[in-house]
Short mmCIF file of all heavy atoms in Angstrom, two decimals:
data_model
loop_
_atom_site.label_atom_id
_atom_site.label_comp_id
_atom_site.label_asym_id
_atom_site.label_seq_id
_atom_site.Cartn_x
_atom_site.Cartn_y
_atom_site.Cartn_z
N PRO A 48 -14.95 -11.26 4.96
CA PRO A 48 -15.75 -10.32 5.81
C PRO A 48 -15.28 -10.36 7.25
O PRO A 48 -14.62 -11.25 7.64
CB PRO A 48 -17.17 -10.93 5.67
CG PRO A 48 -17.19 -11.98 4.75
CD PRO A 48 -15.69 -12.38 4.41
N SER A 49 -15.64 -9.33 8.00
CA SER A 49 -15.24 -9.19 9.33
C SER A 49 -15.68 -10.43 10.11
O SER A 49 -16.85 -10.79 9.98
CB SER A 49 -15.79 -7.88 9.95
OG SER A 49 -15.31 -7.78 11.21
N GLY A 50 -14.83 -10.95 10.96
CA GLY A 50 -15.31 -12.09 11.81
C GLY A 50 -15.13 -13.46 11.11
O GLY A 50 -15.48 -14.47 11.64
N CYS A 51 -14.67 -13.45 9.85
CA CYS A 51 -14.53 -14.80 9.12
C CYS A 51 -13.36 -15.66 9.71
O CYS A 51 -13.31 -16.79 9.29
CB CYS A 51 -14.39 -14.55 7.68
SG CYS A 51 -12.86 -13.88 7.12
N GLY A 52 -12.48 -15.13 10.38
CA GLY A 52 -11.41 -15.88 10.94
C GLY A 52 -10.03 -15.64 10.49
O GLY A 52 -9.04 -16.43 10.72
N LYS A 53 -9.84 -14.50 9.87
CA LYS A 53 -8.52 -14.19 9.31
C LYS A 53 -7.45 -14.03 10.39
O LYS A 53 -6.34 -14.60 10.30
CB LYS A 53 -8.58 -12.77 8.44
CG LYS A 53 -9.62 -12.80 7.42
CD LYS A 53 -9.73 -11.49 6.72
CE LYS A 53 -10.26 -10.35 7.47
NZ LYS A 53 -11.65 -10.38 7.87
N THR A 54 -7.70 -13.16 11.33
CA THR A 54 -6.71 -12.92 12.49
C THR A 54 -6.45 -14.25 13.23
O THR A 54 -5.30 -14.62 13.51
CB THR A 54 -7.34 -11.89 13.41
OG1 THR A 54 -7.42 -10.69 12.68
CG2 THR A 54 -6.29 -11.62 14.60
N THR A 55 -7.54 -15.08 13.47
CA THR A 55 -7.34 -16.30 14.18
C THR A 55 -6.38 -17.23 13.32
O THR A 55 -5.48 -17.84 13.88
CB THR A 55 -8.70 -16.98 14.35
OG1 THR A 55 -9.53 -16.05 14.98
CG2 THR A 55 -8.54 -18.26 15.15
N LEU A 57 -4.12 -16.32 11.20
CA LEU A 57 -2.78 -15.78 11.18
C LEU A 57 -2.06 -16.06 12.54
O LEU A 57 -0.90 -16.58 12.48
CB LEU A 57 -2.88 -14.27 11.05
CG LEU A 57 -1.66 -13.57 10.44
CD1 LEU A 57 -1.43 -14.00 9.02
CD2 LEU A 57 -1.91 -12.02 10.48
N LYS A 58 -2.72 -15.87 13.54
CA LYS A 58 -2.15 -16.14 14.96
C LYS A 58 -1.81 -17.52 15.21
O LYS A 58 -1.12 -17.83 16.12
CB LYS A 58 -3.09 -15.53 15.98
CG LYS A 58 -3.06 -14.04 16.06
CD LYS A 58 -3.99 -13.59 17.18
CE LYS A 58 -3.76 -12.10 17.50
NZ LYS A 58 -4.77 -11.71 18.45
N GLN A 95 -2.13 -4.02 13.24
CA GLN A 95 -2.66 -2.74 12.78
C GLN A 95 -2.33 -1.63 13.68
O GLN A 95 -2.07 -0.47 13.26
CB GLN A 95 -4.23 -2.89 12.72
CG GLN A 95 -4.86 -1.58 12.49
CD GLN A 95 -6.36 -1.77 11.98
OE1 GLN A 95 -6.83 -2.93 11.76
NE2 GLN A 95 -7.03 -0.60 11.74
N ASP A 173 -1.20 -8.13 9.80
CA ASP A 173 -2.64 -8.17 10.04
C ASP A 173 -3.24 -6.80 9.87
O ASP A 173 -3.05 -5.90 10.70
CB ASP A 173 -2.93 -8.63 11.48
CG ASP A 173 -4.41 -8.96 11.61
OD1 ASP A 173 -5.27 -8.71 10.70
OD2 ASP A 173 -4.73 -9.65 12.69
N GLU A 174 -3.74 -6.49 8.69
CA GLU A 174 -4.27 -5.15 8.38
C GLU A 174 -3.32 -4.05 8.72
O GLU A 174 -3.68 -3.09 9.41
CB GLU A 174 -5.64 -4.90 9.03
CG GLU A 174 -6.64 -6.03 8.63
CD GLU A 174 -8.06 -5.51 8.59
OE1 GLU A 174 -8.23 -4.42 8.20
OE2 GLU A 174 -8.98 -6.35 9.03
N VAL A 205 -3.20 -9.85 5.89
CA VAL A 205 -4.65 -9.78 6.07
C VAL A 205 -5.23 -8.37 5.70
O VAL A 205 -4.61 -7.45 6.08
CB VAL A 205 -5.09 -10.08 7.53
CG1 VAL A 205 -6.51 -9.82 7.81
CG2 VAL A 205 -4.70 -11.50 7.92
N THR A 206 -6.23 -8.44 5.02
CA THR A 206 -6.92 -7.21 4.66
C THR A 206 -8.44 -7.44 4.40
O THR A 206 -8.78 -8.59 4.22
CB THR A 206 -6.33 -6.54 3.42
OG1 THR A 206 -6.97 -5.27 3.18
CG2 THR A 206 -6.44 -7.47 2.19
N HIS A 207 -9.29 -6.46 4.41
CA HIS A 207 -10.56 -6.67 3.89
C HIS A 207 -10.82 -5.72 2.71
O HIS A 207 -11.97 -5.57 2.34
CB HIS A 207 -11.75 -6.83 4.81
CG HIS A 207 -11.80 -5.76 5.91
ND1 HIS A 207 -11.83 -5.95 7.22
CD2 HIS A 207 -11.84 -4.43 5.73
CE1 HIS A 207 -11.79 -4.86 7.81
NE2 HIS A 207 -11.86 -3.91 6.99
MG1 MG B 418 -8.81 -9.43 12.28
#
Side-chain angles (χ1 to χ4, degrees):
S49 187
C51 69
K53 304 180 292 293
T54 298
T55 308
L57 204 67
K58 285 182 169 173
Q95 172 162 357
D173 197 348
E174 306 211 34
V205 170
T206 182
H207 45 239

